[in-house]
Amino acid sequence: MLDEYRNRASFSLERMRTIFDDESSQIYRTKLWSILHSQTIFHQPKYPLSIDEYKQLTYRRCKELIRLNLLTEDELYENPRRKIILEQCLTMYDSSCHAKYSLHTTVFRETIRKLGTQRHTYLIDLDQNEKIFGCFALTELSHGSNTKEMRTTAIYDLATQEFILNTPDIEAMKFWIGNLGYHATHAIVYAQLYTNNICHGLHLFVVPVRDPLTYKTFDGIEVGDIGAKCGWNGLDNGFLILRNYRIPRENLLNKHGDVLPDGTYQTLFKSVNKRFGASLGALSSGRVGICSLAIGLLIKCITIAVRYSCVRKQFGPLPGIELPVIEYQTQNWRLVPIVASLYVYRQLAYSVFDNLTEFYALTMSNDENDRDLLADMGREIHALSCTSKAICTWNTQKACQECREACGGHGYLYASGFGIIRDDNDPSCTFEGDNNVLLQQGSNYILTIYEEFYQKHEPSSTFPFHSVDFIKDMKSILEKNQCSITSECHLKDLLDAFDWLLCYMIDKCIRKLERLSLTKSLSLFDIKNTTQVYHLRTLSILYIQRTAIQRFVQLLQQNDSIDDKCKAVLEKLLIVHILKLFEEYSAILFEGNYIRNSNINQWMQTRLLYLCDELRNEIVLLVDVFAPPDHILNSVLGNSNGQVYKAINQMIHDNKHTFDTPFWIKTDLVEKSKL
């Protein structure tokens, strides 16, 4: 059945792949799949492991991945996107393994590269010779998203030219730190830097925690594993308590701020906010990586659900005639929009990664004239990464549940893979910042830009990544308060409607903030808090959804190599995506009097159903474009050959315990025989 649906598709699989990945990227991805298939250590267990077994296996796998050196500096320089391809492939393979590997090779190593200076190159040398293993210690037991209020301290001792690190109390212990539980020898620790009793804010310090030869912790360090979690149990998450622990002055990562031997604090940035803005950009790599993680898991769950829906037959127009469930309106209405979201949000995740790459390239500059641009980049990439992370992880979480249910009872099998996918994505909605809290970063950024343009009339920021360019035209967009959507639901009319929707939401937020500001009893904190739900939160979501849509439009308009058949399908997917979003926002469109014709809502629903029905013939090939090989998909329901029932039967008979009489029944039988 799957091949039948593949033959129905109107476009070429190879041409569609080329739109999203160049030849070198495709070759690199195939190489990774081959490595993970060829080596026994990477073969997936067929049944759940104990937590201890899983951590041990993840440890061994991580060591092997590091030994294999899957991405050399030359390969990365030649094609930076190989970085996100590697992370996505490892996530699709095993999230615990990916986390352990990337926390060391990406977060720990790259933070030293980007925020350290020449004096820290010895750490990179130790790392490359596998002498140390790292982690990233930001979160504390009582503080997560509110990074500025982290309470770990680093006080400079002028007499010894050392920093004295302390955990003031148990609430300030570092917590949830990946790799720290058993494995890490060094941690990048965020702490409040003090010189001469003056706090200069959060800075990063390289802190040795264990002797790399004996794995004994150093005096003044208390470190250990935090125990079992809801998922990701192959990763050793740990805690860290510091008690008058001394490190050399040189262990401060001093790219953006330094302490001289005499205790003088020095920075090239003109303000604390500018320095913090640059640091925020550096923090964004983790969130951008999580976007890729979520997209990888989305690829898996929608591939499984689509393939199974094209194979599974139930009911039909006549007795004895059953149809694949994808043929039913409800099923393709459930799954086609998920496929559309995959294409749109995958492009978003990759484009934000490209923005981050550009930001990191600028951090290498020593030109003081680049400082303001670096800060502007940092602020915008912070807003983009925070909101992208939220929308990508939430979309995948929602899709996992929908796909599991779309596969009926068999979707609840462990061997379907849905349970693992769902548990692997779940923590992504929380770590590196709770999604709802991160959305506040997006609205704060937008309001700041709005204030510069329309209240201060002194725009001091640039928008290097163009995500808020629309603010310049906001007034004229709102003046065109007339919906032009017809029954055909043309793409341009939908894009105009989304622009208006975002600008209206900014205006709505500003009006509420101004109204509340007249209430003298309310502080600025109270005003912001009272304006989150239905206002600022929605604003942030609309901001990143529009960014995703615009970047997909740019892909279609600026890529001359896209053939007409592929472009036609991609435009349909984009229209499906926008129409599905408008289901959530129709009330706002009516509230703002943008939609005055009551037929428009019906037109959009009719068009959405028509496109979902039409795209069911494209859907198998659309998931094939990004689908991993079967040994990575690791699902009895999603094999590329469509042999679902054979796979389930083999799974049952391969289990050595399938026909056993378990010991607890034997014991009970023995007890009964004594009666």
Side-chain angles (χ1 to χ4, degrees), residues 345-369:
Y345 290 140
R346 184 188 185 275
Q347 180 62 20
L348 172 69
Y350 273 60
S351 69
V352 174
F353 173 80
D354 292 342
N355 296 155
L356 184 68
T357 301
E358 190 177 342
F359 169 79
Y360 274 153
L362 192 64
T363 64
M364 298 292 103
S365 170
N366 292 317
D367 187 343
E368 291 188 23
N369 294 324

PDB file of all heavy atoms in Angstrom, residues 345-369:
ATOM      1  N   TYR A 345       8.111  24.522  10.292  1.00  0.00           N
ATOM      2  CA  TYR A 345       8.947  24.702  11.476  1.00  0.00           C
ATOM      3  C   TYR A 345      10.349  24.135  11.293  1.00  0.00           C
ATOM      4  O   TYR A 345      11.290  24.594  11.939  1.00  0.00           O
ATOM      5  CB  TYR A 345       8.270  24.090  12.705  1.00  0.00           C
ATOM      6  CG  TYR A 345       7.047  24.867  13.158  1.00  0.00           C
ATOM      7  CD1 TYR A 345       5.902  24.217  13.604  1.00  0.00           C
ATOM      8  CD2 TYR A 345       7.037  26.259  13.129  1.00  0.00           C
ATOM      9  CE1 TYR A 345       4.783  24.929  14.010  1.00  0.00           C
ATOM     10  CE2 TYR A 345       5.926  26.978  13.521  1.00  0.00           C
ATOM     11  CZ  TYR A 345       4.796  26.310  13.965  1.00  0.00           C
ATOM     12  OH  TYR A 345       3.700  27.025  14.367  1.00  0.00           O
ATOM     13  N   ARG A 346      10.504  23.174  10.405  1.00  0.00           N
ATOM     14  CA  ARG A 346      11.860  22.719  10.093  1.00  0.00           C
ATOM     15  C   ARG A 346      12.648  23.840   9.438  1.00  0.00           C
ATOM     16  O   ARG A 346      13.818  24.077   9.772  1.00  0.00           O
ATOM     17  CB  ARG A 346      11.832  21.495   9.175  1.00  0.00           C
ATOM     18  CG  ARG A 346      13.227  20.916   8.880  1.00  0.00           C
ATOM     19  CD  ARG A 346      13.157  19.836   7.818  1.00  0.00           C
ATOM     20  NE  ARG A 346      14.446  19.187   7.610  1.00  0.00           N
ATOM     21  CZ  ARG A 346      15.410  19.644   6.804  1.00  0.00           C
ATOM     22  NH1 ARG A 346      15.233  20.784   6.140  1.00  0.00           N
ATOM     23  NH2 ARG A 346      16.548  18.979   6.668  1.00  0.00           N
ATOM     24  N   GLN A 347      12.009  24.533   8.502  1.00  0.00           N
ATOM     25  CA  GLN A 347      12.678  25.662   7.860  1.00  0.00           C
ATOM     26  C   GLN A 347      12.986  26.759   8.869  1.00  0.00           C
ATOM     27  O   GLN A 347      14.054  27.395   8.827  1.00  0.00           O
ATOM     28  CB  GLN A 347      11.801  26.214   6.728  1.00  0.00           C
ATOM     29  CG  GLN A 347      12.400  27.390   5.976  1.00  0.00           C
ATOM     30  CD  GLN A 347      13.700  27.046   5.262  1.00  0.00           C
ATOM     31  OE1 GLN A 347      13.988  25.878   5.013  1.00  0.00           O
ATOM     32  NE2 GLN A 347      14.493  28.053   4.933  1.00  0.00           N
ATOM     33  N   LEU A 348      12.070  26.995   9.811  1.00  0.00           N
ATOM     34  CA  LEU A 348      12.319  27.975  10.865  1.00  0.00           C
ATOM     35  C   LEU A 348      13.538  27.580  11.688  1.00  0.00           C
ATOM     36  O   LEU A 348      14.435  28.407  11.929  1.00  0.00           O
ATOM     37  CB  LEU A 348      11.095  28.089  11.783  1.00  0.00           C
ATOM     38  CG  LEU A 348      11.290  28.942  13.044  1.00  0.00           C
ATOM     39  CD1 LEU A 348      11.430  30.414  12.684  1.00  0.00           C
ATOM     40  CD2 LEU A 348      10.141  28.722  14.029  1.00  0.00           C
ATOM     41  N   ALA A 349      13.581  26.325  12.141  1.00  0.00           N
ATOM     42  CA  ALA A 349      14.687  25.867  12.990  1.00  0.00           C
ATOM     43  C   ALA A 349      16.023  26.008  12.273  1.00  0.00           C
ATOM     44  O   ALA A 349      17.020  26.452  12.867  1.00  0.00           O
ATOM     45  CB  ALA A 349      14.458  24.416  13.403  1.00  0.00           C
ATOM     46  N   TYR A 350      16.064  25.653  10.996  1.00  0.00           N
ATOM     47  CA  TYR A 350      17.316  25.750  10.246  1.00  0.00           C
ATOM     48  C   TYR A 350      17.723  27.207  10.031  1.00  0.00           C
ATOM     49  O   TYR A 350      18.908  27.549  10.094  1.00  0.00           O
ATOM     50  CB  TYR A 350      17.184  25.025   8.904  1.00  0.00           C
ATOM     51  CG  TYR A 350      17.505  23.552   8.994  1.00  0.00           C
ATOM     52  CD1 TYR A 350      16.772  22.715   9.834  1.00  0.00           C
ATOM     53  CD2 TYR A 350      18.531  22.983   8.260  1.00  0.00           C
ATOM     54  CE1 TYR A 350      17.053  21.369   9.928  1.00  0.00           C
ATOM     55  CE2 TYR A 350      18.822  21.630   8.346  1.00  0.00           C
ATOM     56  CZ  TYR A 350      18.084  20.827   9.181  1.00  0.00           C
ATOM     57  OH  TYR A 350      18.377  19.494   9.279  1.00  0.00           O
ATOM     58  N   SER A 351      16.745  28.068   9.772  1.00  0.00           N
ATOM     59  CA  SER A 351      17.082  29.476   9.526  1.00  0.00           C
ATOM     60  C   SER A 351      17.568  30.158  10.805  1.00  0.00           C
ATOM     61  O   SER A 351      18.478  30.998  10.753  1.00  0.00           O
ATOM     62  CB  SER A 351      15.868  30.221   8.956  1.00  0.00           C
ATOM     63  OG  SER A 351      14.838  30.360   9.918  1.00  0.00           O
ATOM     64  N   VAL A 352      16.975  29.807  11.947  1.00  0.00           N
ATOM     65  CA  VAL A 352      17.443  30.379  13.211  1.00  0.00           C
ATOM     66  C   VAL A 352      18.845  29.858  13.524  1.00  0.00           C
ATOM     67  O   VAL A 352      19.687  30.588  14.062  1.00  0.00           O
ATOM     68  CB  VAL A 352      16.463  30.067  14.359  1.00  0.00           C
ATOM     69  CG1 VAL A 352      17.022  30.524  15.706  1.00  0.00           C
ATOM     70  CG2 VAL A 352      15.118  30.752  14.106  1.00  0.00           C
ATOM     71  N   PHE A 353      19.120  28.605  13.174  1.00  0.00           N
ATOM     72  CA  PHE A 353      20.488  28.095  13.319  1.00  0.00           C
ATOM     73  C   PHE A 353      21.457  28.902  12.458  1.00  0.00           C
ATOM     74  O   PHE A 353      22.565  29.233  12.902  1.00  0.00           O
ATOM     75  CB  PHE A 353      20.550  26.620  12.933  1.00  0.00           C
ATOM     76  CG  PHE A 353      21.953  26.073  12.907  1.00  0.00           C
ATOM     77  CD1 PHE A 353      22.591  25.702  14.075  1.00  0.00           C
ATOM     78  CD2 PHE A 353      22.647  25.955  11.706  1.00  0.00           C
ATOM     79  CE1 PHE A 353      23.894  25.224  14.062  1.00  0.00           C
ATOM     80  CE2 PHE A 353      23.953  25.477  11.674  1.00  0.00           C
ATOM     81  CZ  PHE A 353      24.577  25.095  12.859  1.00  0.00           C
ATOM     82  N   ASP A 354      21.047  29.229  11.237  1.00  0.00           N
ATOM     83  CA  ASP A 354      21.894  30.064  10.371  1.00  0.00           C
ATOM     84  C   ASP A 354      22.140  31.426  11.014  1.00  0.00           C
ATOM     85  O   ASP A 354      23.252  31.972  10.944  1.00  0.00           O
ATOM     86  CB  ASP A 354      21.237  30.243   9.002  1.00  0.00           C
ATOM     87  CG  ASP A 354      21.194  28.947   8.198  1.00  0.00           C
ATOM     88  OD1 ASP A 354      21.953  28.011   8.529  1.00  0.00           O
ATOM     89  OD2 ASP A 354      20.381  28.870   7.253  1.00  0.00           O
ATOM     90  N   ASN A 355      21.105  31.999  11.638  1.00  0.00           N
ATOM     91  CA  ASN A 355      21.269  33.279  12.348  1.00  0.00           C
ATOM     92  C   ASN A 355      22.274  33.146  13.483  1.00  0.00           C
ATOM     93  O   ASN A 355      23.120  34.025  13.690  1.00  0.00           O
ATOM     94  CB  ASN A 355      19.936  33.751  12.924  1.00  0.00           C
ATOM     95  CG  ASN A 355      18.884  34.058  11.890  1.00  0.00           C
ATOM     96  OD1 ASN A 355      17.690  34.001  12.169  1.00  0.00           O
ATOM     97  ND2 ASN A 355      19.298  34.366  10.670  1.00  0.00           N
ATOM     98  N   LEU A 356      22.183  32.053  14.229  1.00  0.00           N
ATOM     99  CA  LEU A 356      23.105  31.824  15.340  1.00  0.00           C
ATOM    100  C   LEU A 356      24.536  31.678  14.831  1.00  0.00           C
ATOM    101  O   LEU A 356      25.479  32.190  15.445  1.00  0.00           O
ATOM    102  CB  LEU A 356      22.689  30.569  16.108  1.00  0.00           C
ATOM    103  CG  LEU A 356      23.512  30.254  17.363  1.00  0.00           C
ATOM    104  CD1 LEU A 356      23.260  31.287  18.445  1.00  0.00           C
ATOM    105  CD2 LEU A 356      23.179  28.851  17.887  1.00  0.00           C
ATOM    106  N   THR A 357      24.697  31.001  13.707  1.00  0.00           N
ATOM    107  CA  THR A 357      26.020  30.857  13.100  1.00  0.00           C
ATOM    108  C   THR A 357      26.608  32.217  12.744  1.00  0.00           C
ATOM    109  O   THR A 357      27.793  32.490  12.984  1.00  0.00           O
ATOM    110  CB  THR A 357      25.930  29.977  11.832  1.00  0.00           C
ATOM    111  OG1 THR A 357      25.400  28.686  12.178  1.00  0.00           O
ATOM    112  CG2 THR A 357      27.291  29.803  11.186  1.00  0.00           C
ATOM    113  N   GLU A 358      25.761  33.084  12.207  1.00  0.00           N
ATOM    114  CA  GLU A 358      26.202  34.440  11.851  1.00  0.00           C
ATOM    115  C   GLU A 358      26.600  35.215  13.110  1.00  0.00           C
ATOM    116  O   GLU A 358      27.591  35.950  13.120  1.00  0.00           O
ATOM    117  CB  GLU A 358      25.070  35.161  11.119  1.00  0.00           C
ATOM    118  CG  GLU A 358      25.469  36.471  10.484  1.00  0.00           C
ATOM    119  CD  GLU A 358      24.343  37.116   9.696  1.00  0.00           C
ATOM    120  OE1 GLU A 358      23.367  36.408   9.359  1.00  0.00           O
ATOM    121  OE2 GLU A 358      24.433  38.341   9.432  1.00  0.00           O
ATOM    122  N   PHE A 359      25.820  35.046  14.173  1.00  0.00           N
ATOM    123  CA  PHE A 359      26.136  35.706  15.439  1.00  0.00           C
ATOM    124  C   PHE A 359      27.482  35.225  15.974  1.00  0.00           C
ATOM    125  O   PHE A 359      28.324  36.025  16.393  1.00  0.00           O
ATOM    126  CB  PHE A 359      25.022  35.426  16.454  1.00  0.00           C
ATOM    127  CG  PHE A 359      25.365  35.824  17.871  1.00  0.00           C
ATOM    128  CD1 PHE A 359      25.293  37.140  18.279  1.00  0.00           C
ATOM    129  CD2 PHE A 359      25.765  34.866  18.792  1.00  0.00           C
ATOM    130  CE1 PHE A 359      25.620  37.514  19.581  1.00  0.00           C
ATOM    131  CE2 PHE A 359      26.091  35.216  20.092  1.00  0.00           C
ATOM    132  CZ  PHE A 359      26.017  36.545  20.492  1.00  0.00           C
ATOM    133  N   TYR A 360      27.683  33.904  15.965  1.00  0.00           N
ATOM    134  CA  TYR A 360      28.934  33.353  16.470  1.00  0.00           C
ATOM    135  C   TYR A 360      30.124  33.818  15.633  1.00  0.00           C
ATOM    136  O   TYR A 360      31.219  34.041  16.162  1.00  0.00           O
ATOM    137  CB  TYR A 360      28.866  31.826  16.495  1.00  0.00           C
ATOM    138  CG  TYR A 360      28.243  31.270  17.751  1.00  0.00           C
ATOM    139  CD1 TYR A 360      27.604  30.035  17.741  1.00  0.00           C
ATOM    140  CD2 TYR A 360      28.291  31.967  18.955  1.00  0.00           C
ATOM    141  CE1 TYR A 360      27.032  29.509  18.894  1.00  0.00           C
ATOM    142  CE2 TYR A 360      27.717  31.454  20.102  1.00  0.00           C
ATOM    143  CZ  TYR A 360      27.092  30.227  20.070  1.00  0.00           C
ATOM    144  OH  TYR A 360      26.539  29.725  21.209  1.00  0.00           O
ATOM    145  N   ALA A 361      29.913  33.956  14.338  1.00  0.00           N
ATOM    146  CA  ALA A 361      30.998  34.435  13.476  1.00  0.00           C
ATOM    147  C   ALA A 361      31.423  35.840  13.894  1.00  0.00           C
ATOM    148  O   ALA A 361      32.617  36.170  13.917  1.00  0.00           O
ATOM    149  CB  ALA A 361      30.558  34.424  12.015  1.00  0.00           C
ATOM    150  N   LEU A 362      30.440  36.668  14.259  1.00  0.00           N
ATOM    151  CA  LEU A 362      30.760  38.032  14.666  1.00  0.00           C
ATOM    152  C   LEU A 362      31.450  38.067  16.025  1.00  0.00           C
ATOM    153  O   LEU A 362      32.233  38.976  16.302  1.00  0.00           O
ATOM    154  CB  LEU A 362      29.498  38.890  14.697  1.00  0.00           C
ATOM    155  CG  LEU A 362      29.735  40.402  14.829  1.00  0.00           C
ATOM    156  CD1 LEU A 362      30.474  40.945  13.607  1.00  0.00           C
ATOM    157  CD2 LEU A 362      28.418  41.151  15.013  1.00  0.00           C
ATOM    158  N   THR A 363      31.176  37.099  16.879  1.00  0.00           N
ATOM    159  CA  THR A 363      31.848  37.084  18.189  1.00  0.00           C
ATOM    160  C   THR A 363      33.355  36.906  18.036  1.00  0.00           C
ATOM    161  O   THR A 363      34.118  37.223  18.952  1.00  0.00           O
ATOM    162  CB  THR A 363      31.304  35.963  19.103  1.00  0.00           C
ATOM    163  OG1 THR A 363      31.593  34.677  18.528  1.00  0.00           O
ATOM    164  CG2 THR A 363      29.816  36.106  19.342  1.00  0.00           C
ATOM    165  N   MET A 364      33.786  36.402  16.895  1.00  0.00           N
ATOM    166  CA  MET A 364      35.217  36.222  16.649  1.00  0.00           C
ATOM    167  C   MET A 364      35.922  37.543  16.334  1.00  0.00           C
ATOM    168  O   MET A 364      37.140  37.625  16.350  1.00  0.00           O
ATOM    169  CB  MET A 364      35.436  35.244  15.475  1.00  0.00           C
ATOM    170  CG  MET A 364      34.889  33.838  15.713  1.00  0.00           C
ATOM    171  SD  MET A 364      35.776  32.932  17.000  1.00  0.00           S
ATOM    172  CE  MET A 364      34.603  33.083  18.360  1.00  0.00           C
ATOM    173  N   SER A 365      35.106  38.571  16.049  1.00  0.00           N
ATOM    174  CA  SER A 365      35.680  39.867  15.677  1.00  0.00           C
ATOM    175  C   SER A 365      36.225  40.587  16.903  1.00  0.00           C
ATOM    176  O   SER A 365      35.619  40.585  17.974  1.00  0.00           O
ATOM    177  CB  SER A 365      34.608  40.735  15.003  1.00  0.00           C
ATOM    178  OG  SER A 365      35.074  42.058  14.846  1.00  0.00           O
ATOM    179  N   ASN A 366      37.363  41.230  16.735  1.00  0.00           N
ATOM    180  CA  ASN A 366      37.943  42.061  17.788  1.00  0.00           C
ATOM    181  C   ASN A 366      37.762  43.548  17.514  1.00  0.00           C
ATOM    182  O   ASN A 366      38.325  44.398  18.201  1.00  0.00           O
ATOM    183  CB  ASN A 366      39.443  41.748  17.937  1.00  0.00           C
ATOM    184  CG  ASN A 366      39.679  40.349  18.486  1.00  0.00           C
ATOM    185  OD1 ASN A 366      38.998  39.922  19.415  1.00  0.00           O
ATOM    186  ND2 ASN A 366      40.634  39.635  17.896  1.00  0.00           N
ATOM    187  N   ASP A 367      36.950  43.842  16.480  1.00  0.00           N
ATOM    188  CA  ASP A 367      36.699  45.224  16.100  1.00  0.00           C
ATOM    189  C   ASP A 367      35.655  45.827  17.052  1.00  0.00           C
ATOM    190  O   ASP A 367      34.527  45.343  17.144  1.00  0.00           O
ATOM    191  CB  ASP A 367      36.181  45.274  14.662  1.00  0.00           C
ATOM    192  CG  ASP A 367      36.068  46.695  14.133  1.00  0.00           C
ATOM    193  OD1 ASP A 367      36.081  47.647  14.951  1.00  0.00           O
ATOM    194  OD2 ASP A 367      35.939  46.856  12.906  1.00  0.00           O
ATOM    195  N   GLU A 368      36.038  46.895  17.760  1.00  0.00           N
ATOM    196  CA  GLU A 368      35.121  47.525  18.712  1.00  0.00           C
ATOM    197  C   GLU A 368      33.878  48.074  18.022  1.00  0.00           C
ATOM    198  O   GLU A 368      32.815  48.197  18.646  1.00  0.00           O
ATOM    199  CB  GLU A 368      35.835  48.647  19.473  1.00  0.00           C
ATOM    200  CG  GLU A 368      36.893  48.150  20.444  1.00  0.00           C
ATOM    201  CD  GLU A 368      37.432  49.267  21.319  1.00  0.00           C
ATOM    202  OE1 GLU A 368      36.718  50.286  21.492  1.00  0.00           O
ATOM    203  OE2 GLU A 368      38.556  49.126  21.825  1.00  0.00           O
ATOM    204  N   ASN A 369      33.977  48.387  16.747  1.00  0.00           N
ATOM    205  CA  ASN A 369      32.827  48.912  16.012  1.00  0.00           C
ATOM    206  C   ASN A 369      31.733  47.863  15.828  1.00  0.00           C
ATOM    207  O   ASN A 369      30.598  48.202  15.479  1.00  0.00           O
ATOM    208  CB  ASN A 369      33.266  49.435  14.637  1.00  0.00           C
ATOM    209  CG  ASN A 369      34.172  50.640  14.756  1.00  0.00           C
ATOM    210  OD1 ASN A 369      33.996  51.470  15.638  1.00  0.00           O
ATOM    211  ND2 ASN A 369      35.160  50.739  13.863  1.00  0.00           N
TER     212      ASN A 369
END
